[in-house]
Amino acid sequence: MSHVVVIGAGLSGLAAACHLIGAGHRVTVLERDDVPGGRAGRLERGGFTFDTGPTVLTMPDLIDRPLRAAGSSLEERLELQLLDPAYHAFYADGSELTVRHGHEAMRAEIERECGSADAAAFDDFVVWLRKLYEAEMPHFIDRNFDSPADLLARPRAAAQLIAMGGFGRLGPTIRKRFQDDRLHRLFSFQAMYAGLAPDEALAIYAVITYMDSIEGVYFPRGGMRAVPEALAGAASDAGAEIRYGTTVTELLRDGQGRRRGLPGRRTGGRVRGVVTQDGEAIAADAVVCTLDLPTAYEQLLPDLGAPRAVNGVLGGNYSPSAVVWHVGARGVPQGKAHHNIHFGHEWAGAFEDLMKRGTLMGDPSRLVTVHSLDDEEAAPEGHSTLYVLEPVPNLDVGKIDWERERGPMRERLLGFLESAGYPTDILEEELVTPLEWQSMGMAAGTPFALAHTFPQTGPFRPSNVDRRVPGLVFAGSGTVPGVGVPMVLPSGRLAALRVQEMLG
């Protein structure tokens, strides 16, 4: 039985472990933290429990797939609640819109708030989104690429995407379909998940809009942290060994010298295992690494130059970052949903601030997630946990001194919460800036990895294998297919397929 070591018990690593154990391999997962989750982590303080990573969960079938590979299922491991509305949008002019679940409910919302013309346009929009997803998911997202030439292997799907305008720009595509400016924002802000302004993102990233606006947004009982716990539980029950509090410091590779009877660590050669912070050498037939790619090359492959697209200094274009303020407060907000988007007056100019000028948004839009509305474990009765997110420049382009800006940012966010009607009697808090993301090993101080520009999409995105290092496979948001909970789960499966190819 082949032995595979997985570095990291985040979502991609756990998905890879489930697929590998299901394929008959012996699997050991090594996680530096004390709990599973990686970026989908948790923070417990003063009776409050915070989800510290992604807050929006879509496409639950992508969770079910690795669970089933490990002999379990979504129904067995997770209790999901459909959020309706998926989002509550607040606009600077005082108006509001909600993203309702289901075609008819959302159509009625649009007709009531925006008029019959936009309601009719929504009918065509849903058809277009569904066709876009059906063409894109199996052919361009959920598959491995060895070279850009692989695109030619499925010419019909490529031709369909071109004919549908998938390689146009998302912002203009949405504006052509709807008259109401509020809908332009509501159906294109998802480009931020791909690390781009709506007017720069390819229209194919409307697939993200499809995932949350059409297929629905869910919340797992026990919080988002329940997702990695479910995957870890399924992998463990199927026979995988998961070791927490274990940091991998080196890769064992073929070469001269021996360390405890295992291959040495000379430059070059096939990967044969890993070394932990305690000096323990663990032999493996293959290794799946889920570290952010620049961190992986810097810490584990110092003898190799990272591919150009991986290194922001040499050409990689990284997504904007975010300040996230975790707040435990006395009181419960009224008139708010689980996910709330507060749009500023400014739109295009705010993205210029963020991505071109490297400054804070002059008129920011913000996301506030109130986990405690649907998670009784998140806060004591009569209290709330708030996840407040403001996009900010990453450290590559940003001109912000975060040591000095931390206090003023907190005060601005506090003023925003007060004016927007959220509780502000704060009992516990944690402010996360790009400096903290960087300290966690995230390149350019962003948790959103490489942006999904055309040269960093599909076969042009950094591969999950480096031919110079046989036996090593990458998974996670920095490689294929990309960023976000829906994408890193297939990333784990694609990594497992690469291991299968290597080991036969």
Side-chain angles (χ1 to χ4, degrees), residues 441-459:
M442 300 177 198
T446 173
F448 306 115
L450 288 164
H452 284 266
T453 59
F454 183 78
Q456 296 175 172
T457 294

Side-chain angles (χ1 to χ4, degrees), residues 56-361:
V56 179
L57 178 62
T58 63
M59 307 303 291
D61 60 302
L62 296 178
I63 304 172
D64 187 54
R65 188 163 56 171
L67 290 173
R68 288 191 179 277
S72 187
S73 69
L74 186 69
E75 292 76 16
E76 180 183 340
R77 296 283 173 174
L78 280 173
E79 181 181 338
L80 296 182
Q81 173 187 348
L82 175 68
L83 298 180
D84 190 7
Y87 298 97
H88 193 160
F90 298 86
Y91 295 88
D93 63 2
S95 64
E96 302 176 14
L97 285 173
T98 56
V99 176
R100 299 295 312 282
H101 178 69
H103 185 156
E104 292 306 319
M106 189 64 208
R107 190 189 197 282
E109 171 78 3
I110 293 173
E111 184 159 19
R112 181 173 57 254
E113 299 293 336
C114 307
S116 58
D118 278 340
F122 181 71
D123 294 333
D124 292 335
F125 184 56
V126 170
V127 172
W128 179 73
L129 286 177
R130 186 166 287 116
K131 289 182 178 178
L132 192 72
Y133 177 82
E134 291 171 351
E136 191 175 345
M137 188 65 184
H139 302 294
F140 299 98
I141 293 176
D142 195 23
R143 64 174 295 203
N144 280 316
F145 292 93
D146 290 316
S147 76
D150 287 351
L151 289 172
L152 302 177
R154 304 185 184 187
R156 181 176 299 179
Q160 184 179 0
L161 285 178
I162 293 171
M164 294 174 64
F167 294 101
R169 299 297 170 181
L170 179 60
T173 298
I174 299 299
R175 288 195 292 272
K176 288 178 182 177
R177 289 181 174 273
F178 298 102
Q179 298 175 8
D180 195 308
D181 178 67
R182 295 173 300 171
L183 294 177
H184 300 163
R185 300 186 183 199
L186 196 62
F187 291 139
S188 68
F189 81 88
Q190 294 87 352
M192 284 294 295
Y193 297 151
L196 297 167
D199 279 3
E200 295 182 359
L202 296 175
I204 56 175
Y205 288 109
V207 70
I208 308 174
T209 306
Y210 171 81
M211 290 176 179
D212 60 19
S213 297
I214 307 303
E215 288 295 316
V217 174
Y218 295 81
F219 185 70
R221 182 177 179 82
M224 290 291 287
R225 56 198 174 276
V227 176
E229 289 170 357
L231 292 166
S236 294
D237 289 349
E241 179 187 6
I242 303 181
R243 294 170 54 178
Y244 298 104
T246 304
T247 300
V248 172
T249 57
E250 297 179 65
L251 294 175
L252 290 165
R253 294 159 68 186
D254 279 341
Q256 296 177 345
R258 297 281 170 173
R259 180 187 179 95
R260 299 186 184 180
L262 293 169
R265 295 167 287 161
R266 197 191 69 171
T267 297
R270 183 181 180 87
V271 170
R272 298 295 184 182
V274 301
V275 179
T276 71
Q277 81 273 20
D278 297 324
E280 180 186 4
I282 302 173
D285 299 288
V287 172
V288 176
C289 177
T290 68
L291 299 179
D292 208 16
L293 261 62
T295 301
Y297 278 94
E298 178 183 347
Q299 295 183 0
L300 302 180
L301 297 166
D303 55 297
L304 296 179
R308 181 180 178 85
V310 170
N311 193 323
V313 176
L314 296 179
N317 181 12
Y318 279 80
S319 301
S321 186
V323 164
V324 175
W325 193 24
H326 303 289
V327 174
R330 183 179 287 109
V332 179
Q334 302 298 312
K336 301 296 191 293
H338 189 106
H339 297 297
N340 306 276
I341 303 172
H342 295 262
F343 290 109
H345 280 287
E346 187 58 63
W347 189 239
F351 291 111
E352 289 286 322
D353 291 339
L354 187 65
M355 300 177 184
K356 301 289 178 62
R357 287 185 281 270
T359 62
L360 296 175
M361 289 179 162

